[in-house]
């Protein structure tokens, strides 16, 4: 009987080289090189379906009104600690603050939480490491990575927030008024989000931010896009949406 050539045998599994891991951060940086040439932007995205993540930029930005999600999360934590539900006034202000981005409601609820020091303490519980609250809440400083951590606390299950608290936040973020549903919503459908926009008095330039959960190509993405230095709010929105689409595309290519 002729001997079987070893060359014809398939290689053992242990001898096969693993496929190189795709550097999604580098892919995202390449995708954003042209669109972000005229602005300062940072983005972080997590695909909760397959665990793929990517980020671009790691600086701290003013939150503008995206901090309202943070304020409500802190209020809900306080209510949990006190063993109670939000009262009627708190619920009404929370709805106005998230769905209509009402500023007076945000000021009242930050006071109810205990001010900026209490917000910092709540953020520590939520795992936010690069966020610093400000008395003028729109000037709270944060990072895109921290905002995705906040979104995981809102939309995930491993959270300091109770199931009821998460459901309340999710419901309100899904009911944002139609004219404020721009931003990360451009990356897909079924978005639950909160946006922030603010002209800076010192420069006249705009901060424009967007955070939320979006469905894209059968995947669930948590995404935060922070930006500053825009000549108009509209220019900021256009950039944020282009960045959101690019981030969704990069994580989608990861399979």
């Amino acid at each position: 009987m002729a001997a079987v050539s070893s060359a014809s045998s398939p290689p053992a599994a242990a001898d096969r080289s693993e496929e190189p891991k795709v550097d999604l951060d580098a892919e995202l940086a390449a995708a954003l090189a042209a669109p972000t040439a005229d602005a300062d932007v940072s983005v972080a995205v997590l695909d909760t379906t397959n665990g793929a993540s990517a980020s671009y930029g790691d600086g701290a930005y003013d939150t503008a009104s995206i901090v309202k999600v943070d304020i409500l999360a802190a209020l809900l934590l306080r209510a949990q600690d006190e063993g109670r539900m939000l009262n009627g006034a708190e619920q009404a202000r929370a709805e106005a603050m998230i769905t209509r981005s009402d500023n007076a409601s945000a000021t009242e609820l930050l006071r109810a939480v205990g001010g900026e020091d209490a917000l910092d303490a709540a953020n520590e519980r939520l795992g936010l490491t690069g966020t610093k609250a400000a008395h003028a809440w729109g000037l709270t400083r944060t990072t895109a990575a921290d905002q995705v951590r906040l979104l995981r606390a809102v939309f995930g299950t491993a959270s300091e927030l109770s199931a009821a608290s998460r459901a309340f936040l999710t419901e309100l973020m899904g009911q944002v008024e139609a004219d404020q549903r721009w931003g990360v919503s451009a990356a897909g459908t079924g978005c639950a989000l909160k946006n922030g926009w603010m002209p800076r008095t010192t420069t006249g330039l705009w901060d424009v931010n967007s955070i939320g959960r979006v469905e894209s190509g059968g995947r669930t993405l948590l995404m935060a896009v922070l930006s500053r230095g825009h000549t108009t709010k509209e220019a900021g929105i256009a950039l944020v949406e282009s960045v959101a689409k690019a981030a969704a595309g990069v994580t989608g290519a990861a399979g």
Side-chain angles (χ1 to χ4, degrees):
M1 180 180 297
V4 178
S5 170
S6 60
S8 64
S9 301
D15 295 331
R16 293 175 183 166
S17 299
E18 293 184 0
E19 293 184 4
K21 185 177 180 180
V22 177
D23 186 341
L24 295 183
D25 289 353
E27 296 272 341
L28 183 56
L32 297 182
T36 63
D38 297 325
D40 187 355
V41 66
S42 180
V43 57
V45 58
L46 171 67
D47 184 338
T48 64
T49 308
N50 60 22
S53 64
S55 64
Y56 173 87
D58 58 3
Y61 293 71
D62 298 324
T63 57
S65 284
I66 61 170
V67 75
K68 293 169 181 174
V69 174
D70 199 10
I71 292 172
L72 181 50
L75 180 67
L76 290 165
L77 282 177
R78 179 167 182 153
Q80 288 175 201
D81 292 344
E82 295 171 351
R84 66 176 181 85
M85 304 291 289
L86 297 188
N87 61 40
E90 289 170 336
Q91 289 190 40
R93 286 177 178 135
E95 180 178 355
M97 178 176 70
I98 300 298
T99 65
R100 303 199 306 272
S101 203
D102 183 69
N103 292 338
S105 293
T107 299
E108 288 299 319
L109 291 183
L110 180 58
R111 183 178 297 118
V113 165
E116 59 266 35
D117 289 342
L119 185 57
D120 283 337
N123 284 336
E124 185 175 353
R125 291 174 63 181
L126 295 170
L128 279 61
T129 59
T131 300
K132 180 62 178 175
H135 179 70
W137 45 259
L139 298 179
T140 294
R141 301 282 284 173
T142 194
T143 64
D146 255 14
Q147 289 303 300
V148 169
R149 293 184 185 102
L150 177 60
L151 293 172
R152 292 182 71 177
V154 173
F155 297 110
T157 55
S159 174
E160 286 282 314
L161 294 167
S162 68
S165 293
R166 298 195 305 271
F168 182 59
L169 258 164
T170 299
E171 179 182 12
L172 294 185
M173 292 175 71
Q175 295 176 351
V176 168
E177 292 185 343
D179 64 347
Q180 296 181 21
R181 296 188 64 79
W182 43 263
V184 297
S185 57
T189 60
C191 192
L193 83 169
K194 183 70 190 81
N195 295 326
W197 58 98
M198 178 175 69
R200 298 308 307 273
T201 56
T202 54
T203 64
L205 300 177
W206 285 78
D207 296 335
V208 180
N209 306 321
S210 183
I211 63 171
R213 182 188 68 182
V214 62
E215 304 296 324
S216 177
R219 300 169 297 124
T220 300
L221 306 178
L222 304 181
M223 188 182 300
V225 184
L226 311 179
S227 70
R228 60 192 167 209
H230 305 285
T231 54
T232 65
K233 174 185 173 184
E234 291 72 23
I237 291 173
L239 177 67
V240 165
E241 292 189 337
S242 70
V243 169
K245 291 176 184 177
V250 166
T251 52

